[in-house]
């Protein structure tokens, strides 16, 4: 959970309702007493084994908690602007490998967490993986793919619906905004957002006019 107060971000794990595990004192005391009095060796060995297993389990849970905190601390610092505004334009390029290298964790550990956790923010609950983004270098610095897609969607939304922009025209428009994208990259992002090509967008608007125009 990430909250903000006076422009400062704070985060904590939503695990307050989980029980705090500890070794059962009844059995630890029993083991200690049997060791002191040289009790039955087989029973002592059994209790030692189970106590060790329980302690390992508790330590692993504690380690998991610390791992999540380390990863989140880096994400909150790196994506501060985005987590304050909720605007995808403020999302900074961030790869899982970068987080792994910065925290000293294995990339598979970061990947598992990114794909299985959610982040509650002041602007809604989002998948943690939304905080990760590839990017590209522009004249003004690095820009995330999400920002590029948002610019692309804005351009298409603002186009003349009777004469939609081709991928070539969209590419030139984004290039003019300092984003050196190739036409095939623009086409790929458009397809990923589920937006059809220009000729199909023209057909869709014509069908809409033919269907609803007389009633509008």
């Amino acid at each position: 959970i990430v909250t903000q107060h006076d422009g400062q971000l704070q985060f904590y794990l939503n695990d307050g309702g989980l029980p705090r595990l500890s070794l059962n004192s009844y059995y630890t005391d029993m083991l200690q007493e049997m060791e002191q009095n040289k009790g039955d060796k087989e029973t002592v060995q059994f209790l030692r084994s189970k106590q060790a297993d329980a302690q390992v389990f508790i330590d692993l849970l504690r380690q998991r908690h610390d791992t999540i905190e380390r990863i989140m601390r880096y994400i909150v610092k790196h994506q501060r602007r985005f987590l304050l505004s909720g605007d995808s334009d403020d999302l900074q390029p961030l790869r899982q490998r970068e987080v792994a290298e910065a925290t000293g964790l294995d990339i598979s550990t970061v990947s598992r967490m990114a794909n299985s956790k959610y982040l509650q923010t002041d602007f809604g609950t989002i998948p943690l993986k939304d905080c990760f983004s590839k990017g590209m270098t522009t004249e003004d610095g690095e820009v995330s793919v999400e920002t590029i897609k948002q610019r692309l969607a804005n351009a298409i939304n603002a186009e003349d619906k009777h004469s939609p922009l081709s991928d070539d025209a969209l590419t030139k428009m984004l290039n003019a905004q300092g984003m050196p994208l190739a036409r095939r990259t623009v086409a790929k992002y458009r397809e990923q957002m589920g937006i059809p090509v220009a000729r199909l967008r023209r057909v869709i608007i014509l069908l809409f006019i033919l269907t609803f125009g007389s009633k509008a």
Side-chain angles (χ1 to χ4, degrees):
I1 298 175
V2 175
T3 60
Q4 58 172 298
H5 181 68
D6 293 336
Q8 298 298 317
L9 290 174
Q10 296 180 329
F11 78 92
Y12 58 93
L13 306 187
N14 186 25
D15 59 359
L18 297 179
R20 299 301 176 187
L21 299 184
S22 61
L23 296 176
N24 190 311
S25 59
Y26 174 80
Y27 292 103
T28 56
D29 291 345
M30 180 190 295
L31 174 59
Q32 184 177 8
E33 182 178 347
M34 293 190 71
E35 286 177 330
Q36 292 175 346
N37 298 326
K38 301 186 182 299
D40 180 71
K41 290 184 178 181
E42 185 174 344
T43 303
V44 170
Q45 184 59 40
F46 175 83
L47 290 172
R48 282 177 179 170
S49 174
K50 296 305 177 183
Q51 177 174 287
D53 289 344
Q55 188 62 57
V56 167
F57 184 72
I58 292 172
D59 292 343
L60 285 175
L61 287 179
R62 187 178 297 116
Q63 181 181 346
R64 180 175 180 272
H65 183 281
D66 294 343
T67 296
I68 295 175
E69 278 200 336
R70 287 165 63 186
I71 293 174
M72 279 306 307
R73 191 175 293 113
Y74 187 85
I75 292 175
V76 169
K77 180 180 179 181
H78 192 86
Q79 299 292 16
R80 179 178 180 277
R81 288 174 56 192
F82 168 65
L83 293 174
L84 283 171
S85 69
D87 188 340
S88 61
D89 276 353
D90 290 330
L91 194 62
Q92 301 299 304
L94 179 63
R95 299 172 185 254
Q96 293 179 6
R97 184 172 300 280
E98 176 186 340
V99 176
E101 292 174 352
T103 58
L105 298 168
D106 192 274
I107 189 171
S108 62
T109 301
V110 178
S111 178
R112 283 196 302 274
M113 178 180 165
N115 292 322
S116 63
K117 298 290 182 292
Y118 286 81
L119 193 60
Q120 181 179 307
T121 71
D122 290 344
F123 52 86
T125 300
I126 61 173
L128 184 59
K129 62 183 179 181
D130 285 1
C131 291
F132 292 88
S133 171
K134 296 180 180 178
M136 65 175 296
T137 302
T138 68
E139 295 175 354
D140 298 323
E142 283 201 302
V143 176
S144 71
V145 170
E146 280 68 23
T147 297
I148 297 172
K149 286 183 177 180
Q150 187 60 55
R151 297 279 182 87
L152 178 59
N154 291 342
I156 293 174
N157 289 335
E159 69 186 0
D160 181 352
K161 301 306 178 185
H162 298 283
S163 181
L165 297 168
S166 66
D167 288 342
D168 283 329
L170 290 168
T171 301
K172 292 178 181 178
M173 182 180 295
L174 291 172
N175 288 169
Q177 295 177 13
M179 299 181 185
L181 296 165
R183 179 188 175 282
R184 63 179 179 275
T185 304
V186 171
K188 180 180 73 172
Y189 290 164
R190 174 181 54 71
E191 292 170 358
Q192 288 176 350
M193 292 188 292
I195 300 174
V197 295
R199 60 183 175 79
L200 292 181
R201 299 203 300 277
R202 184 184 296 111
V203 169
I204 290 172
I205 190 64
L206 287 175
L207 287 174
F208 180 85
I209 292 174
L210 290 172
T211 304
F212 301 101
S214 61
K215 301 177 182 179

